[in-house]
Amino acid sequence: MLSSLLTVLILAGIFYWFYKLLFKKVKYRIKLIDPVTGQIKFLTGVDGINNHFTYESVDTGKLYFDKLSDAERYLYATDPQNGVIEYKKGISPWKEVNSNLG
């Protein structure tokens, strides 16, 4: 009896975990590309008081957006010519947002 209950709990946990992985909300991030060197940097922080943005060459997941409009606003505040917005849903890889999506 106890082993079947434990098995049901473990299976329910596994199904819940897969559900959360597959049906997560869409996340957006800003990727900036240096036009001279081609180096890629990700926006990781914003200091609104001093109007200062911080970037890192590795995406640490510090700054993700839930809405595309928020990501677009921050992209236009940084460098819209050399930046792109990428999105990710669930376990899919990061993809660039097309202009006809937003």
Side-chain angles (χ1 to χ4, degrees), residues 7-102:
T7 304
V8 168
L9 288 175
I10 290 173
L11 287 176
I14 290 172
F15 285 128
Y16 177 75
W17 183 71
F18 276 121
Y19 175 79
K20 292 302 273 184
L21 270 179
L22 294 176
F23 298 107
K24 282 186 173 181
K25 290 196 280 183
V26 178
K27 296 187 292 187
Y28 300 96
R29 71 178 180 186
I30 296 176
K31 178 173 79 172
L32 299 167
I33 303 166
D34 187 348
V36 177
T37 63
Q39 181 181 7
I40 296 174
K41 292 185 178 184
F42 299 97
L43 182 64
T44 57
V46 177
D47 180 5
I49 295 173
N50 297 321
N51 197 21
H52 179 72
F53 300 95
T54 57
Y55 309 94
E56 290 184 11
S57 59
V58 177
D59 180 29
T60 57
K62 291 182 181 176
L63 188 59
Y64 291 146
F65 301 97
D66 293 331
K67 297 179 186 175
L68 179 60
S69 60
D70 292 341
E72 288 174 339
R73 185 174 36 157
Y74 280 95
L75 175 65
Y76 291 126
T78 56
D79 189 5
Q81 267 64 27
N82 298 317
V84 294
I85 298 173
E86 295 183 327
Y87 72 97
K88 179 179 182 170
K89 183 173 183 178
I91 58 175
S92 65
W94 287 99
K95 300 175 187 169
E96 287 187 10
V97 173
N98 293 334
S99 60
N100 57 359
L101 285 179

